[in-house]
Amino acid sequence: MALDGRLLSNVGVLAAVVEGGSFASAANALGLTPSGVSRAIARLEARIGVRLFDRTTRSLNLTDEGRLLYANVNPLVLGIEDAVTIAAGSSGAVRGRLRVNTDAFTSRLLLAPHLPRFLDQYPELSLDLVARDQLGDLVAEGFDIAVRFGEPPSSSLVARKLMDTRIVTVATPAYLKRHGRPAKPADLADHMCLQVRNPVTGQPYAWEFQRGRKHLKVPTTGRLLLTDAGTILATALAGVGIAQIKAVGIQAQLDSGEFVDLFPDWPDERFPLYALYPSRHLPAAKVRAFIDFVMAAIAPEAKPKASR
């Protein structure tokens, strides 16, 4: 199949539809009409002989063939965009639309307070920050990068470890005044522990503690089962119960005394934060800029604090 300008243009329309989630969004991004986008996709489908989208009045989804095509051509399309950007000059390198896949904890507690600075720094960039429970198919869904906690899945994605954060068990001074302070992890059985749902299993996360090579799993109970990072933080701060939270998101509350670290002698239960992006020789300038932004945002909280 010969590569010509129209085929390349139609592939670019495919990428815009996937990234925008609709023909209308792609039309707006490309300066076309929705019917023009529809005709481009129809021409591409006719050219390669397969249907690329399942379309209904309410949804638009890639077929298996469409997903495979997009996964293979998107890095090439992004490479062309990078080449044009480099040719246009480094001062305008970070521009366009950046789609970021993350979780609610990272979005709300780590990134949101710093986003104004990032947007001010790159006025030609628009940011689509999507917080959801699971990673999904990063390439097929048109994401440029994911920033997520936990070990990355085995895939073709590039995985760059950004940090490790300690998992801390905390309560407010008011809660401890009413209910007493547990002296050891096993004492948590007698306390109200805020349970957090694992989105993969649907069950509460196990409460784990590590000190060197010693590892404990402690059964806990509680009448609250939560999923949202903001609700978990607010509920714990209200003194409802004891919580396990990533230290990087609550360092300010630990430093101020709003939270008490109950088991500082169990410091080794940790959780990694990764940046994940499609495998390419070099990531796009906007992806590199976002990784630098995340590193700057977490740097003050990622460093161990001096003991008081």
Side-chain angles (χ1 to χ4, degrees):
M1 181 182 295
L3 178 64
D4 57 36
R6 174 159 291 192
L7 176 60
L8 192 60
S9 175
N10 294 340
V11 167
V13 173
L14 168 68
V17 172
V18 175
E19 292 173 5
S22 70
F23 282 16
S25 294
N28 184 59
L30 297 173
L32 301 173
T33 63
S35 60
V37 170
S38 181
R39 287 194 298 272
I41 296 300
R43 286 194 298 267
L44 185 58
E45 290 175 329
R47 179 74 177 270
I48 62 180
V50 297
R51 185 165 47 87
L52 300 175
F53 290 97
D54 287 323
R55 283 166 268 188
T56 70
T57 56
R58 294 186 176 182
S59 66
L60 179 71
N61 298 295
L62 283 168
T63 63
D64 289 342
E65 294 81 5
R67 189 174 295 107
L68 179 63
L69 176 62
Y70 180 76
N72 282 284
V73 303
N74 191 49
L76 304 178
V77 172
L78 293 175
I80 293 171
E81 291 178 357
D82 277 0
V84 171
T85 296
I86 291 170
S90 59
S91 63
V94 181
R95 60 166 68 125
R97 181 167 173 259
L98 179 68
R99 294 198 76 218
V100 179
N101 175 314
T102 189
D103 57 270
F105 181 94
T106 303
S107 176
R108 188 189 187 290
L109 300 184
L110 299 189
L111 301 184
H114 305 281
L115 286 177
R117 174 170 52 82
F118 179 68
L119 295 175
D120 287 345
Q121 186 175 357
Y122 300 109
E124 295 184 67
L125 184 73
S126 62
L127 180 63
D128 185 357
L129 186 63
V130 180
R132 62 189 200 179
D133 288 341
Q134 299 186 48
L135 175 65
D137 191 328
L138 198 66
V139 174
E141 296 178 63
F143 287 102
D144 299 292
I145 185 172
V147 179
R148 304 190 72 91
F149 281 98
E151 291 298 332
S154 298
S155 69
S156 61
L157 298 175
V158 175
R160 175 178 169 183
K161 190 174 184 178
L162 303 181
M163 68 170 296
D164 276 310
T165 185
R166 183 183 167 214
I167 304 298
V168 289
T169 305
V170 298
T172 61
Y175 174 89
L176 299 177
K177 184 177 180 179
R178 290 195 309 271
H179 302 284
R181 176 170 178 165
K184 56 186 182 300
D187 294 343
L188 292 172
D190 299 323
H191 285 265
M192 171 74 163
C193 295
L194 303 180
Q195 305 296 307
V196 180
R197 188 191 304 274
N198 183 329
V200 177
T201 66
Q203 300 300 311
Y205 282 106
W207 287 47
E208 301 183 40
F209 299 84
Q210 188 170 346
R211 180 169 58 202
R213 295 185 178 181
K214 188 172 183 180
H215 185 269
L216 294 179
K217 272 192 176 183
V218 177
T220 62
T221 59
R223 293 185 293 127
L224 270 178
L225 179 59
L226 306 170
T227 59
D228 173 73
T231 305
I232 295 164
L233 178 61
T235 305
L237 284 171
V240 175
I242 296 174
Q244 279 201 329
I245 308 179
K246 303 176 189 74
V248 70
I250 60 165
Q251 193 60 58
Q253 289 82 7
L254 288 169
D255 290 345
S256 69
E258 291 177 274
F259 275 143
V260 177
D261 181 357
L262 299 180
F263 306 112
D265 55 338
W266 289 85
D268 298 323
E269 180 65 19
R270 295 184 174 273
F271 217 49
L273 178 67
Y274 279 88
L276 309 169
Y277 50 90
S279 178
R280 299 171 56 198
H281 179 61
L282 287 174
K286 59 187 177 182
V287 171
R288 297 195 300 270
F290 191 75
I291 292 175
D292 290 343
F293 157 68
V294 175
M295 292 297 292
I298 65 176
E301 300 185 39
K303 295 177 182 177
K305 304 293 179 179
S307 59
R308 291 172 175 256

